Amino acid sequence: MLRILFALFKVVVLMALLAFGAVLLLVDTAPSLPEMAAPSPEDISETRAFVTDVRAVAEGRSLAPILVSEERAGAILRVGTRLFPDARGRVGIDNGRVVMEAAVPVPLPWLGTRWLNGTATAPPFEGRARLDQVRVGGVPLPPDFVVALARVGANIVTGNGAGDIFLNSARRLEVTEGGLRITLALDDADKRGFMRGLFGTMRGTD
């Protein structure tokens, strides 16, 4: 019995060391993005307008795609990052794809704060939300794996399985010179959970 327990202990220690080593491989000593400005009143107004558009679709009052310019995307990002102290982000359009950048502080024992710097690109899609490239700390990661992690993370942050609903409801993404056209599709069972998750997230930014 002691031999089994000792073997299990060694496995746990080895897994912890591997996980710590993986983190060290991915983190950087400095953020890749400049510090973000606090949201302005205009940013808050743009974000509320976006929420109003989403609510109209979720409540069945509109079937039109949601239009998000680069300026509005930046405003939403500045408001949303208040959920994550000291986090930094940037979103833009390049060569027909949405480019998302993030720098997130990661406190590590004995090492202080390190930074998880990442970049992801999303191509136009229809049917299923997807990424086509993800790099963290300069290391390429499988896009589908990252989407799955984002789904779980959104579920944790918003609650009520809203991460599943958010990703499943995004049926089409069109990228134009003027910004993004996002088509959402929600069945009756998902609408209430979608709005609870969305407003729960926005309350966290008040």
Side-chain angles (χ1 to χ4, degrees):
M1 182 66 177
L2 287 176
R3 294 174 65 181
I4 294 175
L5 292 175
F6 184 65
L8 289 174
F9 175 75
K10 289 197 295 184
V11 170
V12 170
V13 170
L14 179 61
M15 291 179 64
L17 289 174
L18 288 173
F20 189 70
V23 170
L24 290 179
L25 179 66
L26 296 177
V27 297
D28 298 310
T29 57
S32 59
L33 297 173
E35 186 174 356
M36 295 185 71
S40 66
E42 291 78 13
D43 291 337
I44 294 172
S45 295
E46 286 287 352
T47 302
R48 286 176 175 166
F50 170 74
V51 171
T52 298
D53 291 343
V54 173
R55 184 172 187 172
V57 173
E59 293 179 347
R61 292 184 286 108
S62 173
L63 298 177
I66 298 170
L67 307 179
V68 182
S69 65
E70 284 194 68
E71 292 76 16
R72 175 171 285 188
I76 295 168
L77 185 63
R78 283 188 289 275
V79 172
T81 50
R82 293 175 62 189
L83 289 170
F84 308 97
D86 298 322
R88 306 166 185 204
R90 184 163 58 198
V91 61
I93 296 173
D94 182 43
N95 200 26
R97 283 170 163 71
V98 184
V99 180
M100 298 162 284
E101 301 173 80
V104 181
V106 180
L108 294 177
W110 308 295
L111 297 176
T113 300
R114 293 293 186 267
W115 290 85
L116 203 59
N117 296 314
T119 303
T121 60
F125 64 77
E126 184 165 0
R128 182 174 66 90
R130 65 187 184 91
L131 302 173
D132 64 357
Q133 186 177 31
V134 179
R135 299 184 73 88
V136 177
V139 178
L141 298 179
D144 288 345
F145 174 71
V146 174
V147 171
L149 284 182
R151 181 186 297 269
V152 173
N155 284 338
I156 293 172
V157 171
T158 62
N160 302 313
D164 295 327
I165 297 171
F166 288 169
L167 286 174
N168 292 342
S169 66
R171 298 298 173 84
R172 178 183 295 172
L173 171 66
E174 300 169 81
V175 182
T176 69
E177 291 185 1
L180 314 177
R181 293 167 55 91
I182 304 168
T183 301
L184 300 177
L186 292 159
D187 59 32
D188 291 338
D190 285 343
K191 287 178 181 177
R192 184 175 299 176
F194 185 97
M195 296 310 300
R196 277 201 306 265
L198 178 63
F199 285 117
T201 301
M202 298 314 299
R203 279 196 299 271
T205 66
D206 290 341

